[in-house]
């Protein structure tokens, strides 16, 4: 079976770490590269974290640092969510390597990789969409050269997690997100509508890591503060945002999608709100008409998604699931 060729754009990030382990362990995935973006921490910290995880887990794919602020931004980025991902972005798991300044090469790396592998690359983005928007800006033709784009992000007619309407990754750079949804490539969003339901309890994570190797043990250790954060908010465990989007790549049959063009509000109190055109109703000509139809995962088999994550990340899934 031909492996899926994945470029992973990420802001590690506790749940990003689990997604990286899933991509690394999945037998049908070839990870072509990891690009980093600001978000759960500064760009130097998220890049240090990506390098740390890659080295710890023997991941050979190159790591490229990307955007440190949103598109056309002046001033400081939004405050980093230290109360969610810890001061070091990985749940304060001890990391010896210092974060350092790095050259911003992510957008160029995305363009080059897509051009070298025409119609074969799937982009999985689980942070703000600045790197993808910059890659598009640098070479708009990549929109027709990727296989597709899968994004963890958005909140469609459900409350956001950083404002009443906005999800964190879209809120991080609404302008970039709007450009990504407006481009001619095929985008599938895996939003809070679904990821609010993929809840991993402390007990289930402990059971999954019991007897597992050091990588899984590390994921369990660095996730403990993240679990505490969600317990405070009345959840039964941690919400598995990014890794659910990774499972969409391999097991799309576990997800329910709907189609329609998408606009992201860029400014004002509703910045970051994601709105999808639904149904066949005809309106006066409007901006949604001009845009490509994209997909949104509004539901799915949460238990099935979690089961895939446990099996793949523990390394006990030598075989992909039947329909992947
Ligand atoms: C998203 O925001 C980040 O905190 C997580 O890593 C995830 O990508 C969830 O809204
Ligand atoms: Ca993330």
């Amino acid at each position: 079976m031909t492996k899926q060729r994945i470029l992973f754009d990420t802001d590690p990030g506790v749940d990003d770490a689990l997604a990286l382990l899933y991509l690394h362990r999945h037998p049908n995935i070839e990870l072509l590269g990891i690009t980093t973006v600001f978000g759960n921490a500064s760009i130097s910290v998220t890049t240090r974290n990506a390098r740390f995880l890659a080295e710890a887990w023997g991941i050979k794919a190159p790591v490229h640092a990307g955007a440190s602020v949103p598109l056309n931004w002046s001033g400081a980025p939004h405050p980093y969510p230290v109360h969610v991902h810890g001061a070091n972005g990985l749940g304060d798991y001890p990391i010896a390597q210092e974060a350092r300044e790095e050259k911003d090469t992510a957008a160029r790396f995305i363009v080059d990789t897509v051009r070298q592998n025409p119609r074969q690359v799937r982009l999985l983005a689980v942070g703000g969409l600045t790197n993808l928007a910059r890659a598009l800006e640098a070479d708009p033709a990549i929109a027709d050269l990727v296989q597709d784009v899968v994004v963890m992000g958005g909140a469609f007619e459900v409350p956001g997690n950083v404002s009443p309407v906005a999800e964190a990754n879209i809120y991080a750079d609404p302008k970039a997100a709007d450009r990504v949804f407006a481009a001619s490539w095929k985008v599938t969003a895996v939003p809070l509508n679904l990821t609010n339901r993929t809840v991993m309890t402390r007990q289930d994570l402990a059971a999954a890591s019991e007897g597992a190797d050091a990588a899984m043990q590390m994921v369990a250790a660095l996730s403990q503060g993240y679990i505490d954060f969600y317990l405070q908010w009345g959840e039964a465990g941690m919400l598995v945002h990014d890794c659910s989007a990774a499972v969409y790549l391999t097991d799309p049959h576990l997800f329910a999608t709907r189609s329609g063009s998408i606009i992201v509000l860029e400014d004002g109190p509703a910045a970051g709100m994601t709105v999808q055109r639904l149904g066949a109703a005809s309106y006066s000509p409007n901006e949604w008409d001009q845009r490509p139809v994209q997909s949104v995962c509004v539901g799915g088999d949460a238990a099935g998604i979690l089961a895939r994550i446990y099996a793949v990340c523990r390394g006990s899934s030598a075989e992909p699931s039947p329909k992947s």
Side-chain angles (χ1 to χ4, degrees):
M1 187 178 287
T2 326
K3 290 192 178 195
Q4 299 188 32
R5 316 192 86 190
I6 308 297
L7 258 184
F8 185 45
D9 190 73
T10 177
D11 61 334
V14 171
D15 59 325
D16 303 67
L18 181 64
L20 179 60
L21 186 61
Y22 182 89
L23 298 174
H24 174 52
R25 289 262 156 97
H26 199 287
N28 277 1
I29 284 181
E30 178 187 358
L31 190 56
L32 297 179
I34 301 167
T35 51
T36 56
V37 63
F38 73 93
N40 289 326
S42 70
I43 187 63
S44 55
V45 171
T46 58
T47 307
R48 184 275 313 271
N49 292 350
R51 291 194 194 291
F52 167 72
L53 295 170
E55 199 185 313
W57 297 343
I59 297 174
K60 298 282 181 287
V63 175
H64 285 263
S68 57
V69 290
L71 294 180
N72 306 336
W73 190 260
S74 53
H78 300 303
Y80 303 121
V82 294
H83 56 300
V84 186
H85 294 270
N88 74 354
L90 283 182
D92 294 327
Y93 188 87
I95 302 174
Q97 296 91 324
E98 294 287 329
R100 55 180 156 92
E101 244 182 71
E102 307 215 27
K103 272 181 118 173
D104 174 355
T105 53
R108 174 63 10 210
F109 177 72
I110 292 170
V111 168
D112 291 346
T113 307
V114 170
R115 287 240 166 228
Q116 283 154 18
N117 303 276
R119 293 176 192 85
Q120 292 172 43
V121 176
R122 305 190 75 185
L123 290 173
L124 172 64
V126 298
L129 295 173
T130 321
N131 291 336
L132 270 63
R134 288 167 71 206
L136 266 179
E137 191 172 26
D139 185 355
I142 63 166
D144 299 317
L145 290 174
V146 298
Q147 194 173 320
D148 68 344
V149 179
V150 176
V151 168
M152 188 282 128
F156 292 81
E157 306 109 40
V158 299
N161 59 1
V162 287
S163 86
V165 293
E167 180 280 329
N169 289 340
I170 304 297
Y171 184 75
D173 193 342
K175 187 183 292 295
D178 191 60
R179 290 187 188 176
V180 167
F181 287 122
S184 59
W185 51 22
K186 175 178 168 2
V187 182
T188 303
V190 181
L192 296 181
N193 304 56
L194 173 77
T195 65
N196 280 345
R197 295 180 39 233
T198 46
V199 183
M200 193 178 281
T201 65
R202 204 190 296 279
Q203 294 72 20
D204 286 348
L205 180 57
S209 54
E210 199 183 320
D213 69 354
M216 192 63 202
Q217 305 278 351
M218 185 195 288
V219 163
L222 64 81
S223 299
Q224 294 305 312
Y226 189 66
I227 295 175
D228 290 338
F229 168 77
Y230 280 112
L231 292 181
Q232 273 171 37
W233 288 97
E235 301 289 352
M238 66 184 192
L239 304 190
V240 181
H241 300 294
D242 293 349
C243 200
S244 295
V247 176
Y248 178 78
L249 295 171
T250 59
D251 297 82
H253 59 281
L254 296 174
F255 296 75
T257 58
R258 70 183 196 196
S259 300
S261 53
I262 296 169
I263 288 180
V264 179
L265 273 65
E266 292 185 21
D267 304 301
M273 182 175 186
T274 43
V275 185
Q276 187 180 34
R277 181 193 170 125
L278 295 177
S282 86
Y283 305 102
S284 311
N286 59 57
E287 245 192 84
W288 278 269
D289 299 341
Q290 320 296 327
R291 297 195 168 212
V293 169
Q294 309 290 19
S295 295
V296 174
C297 296
V298 280
D301 175 0
I305 293 166
L306 290 169
R308 290 301 294 145
I309 294 172
Y310 295 131
V312 172
C313 290
R314 275 181 63 87
S316 54
S317 161
E319 291 303 316
S321 72
K323 291 187 191 155
S324 67

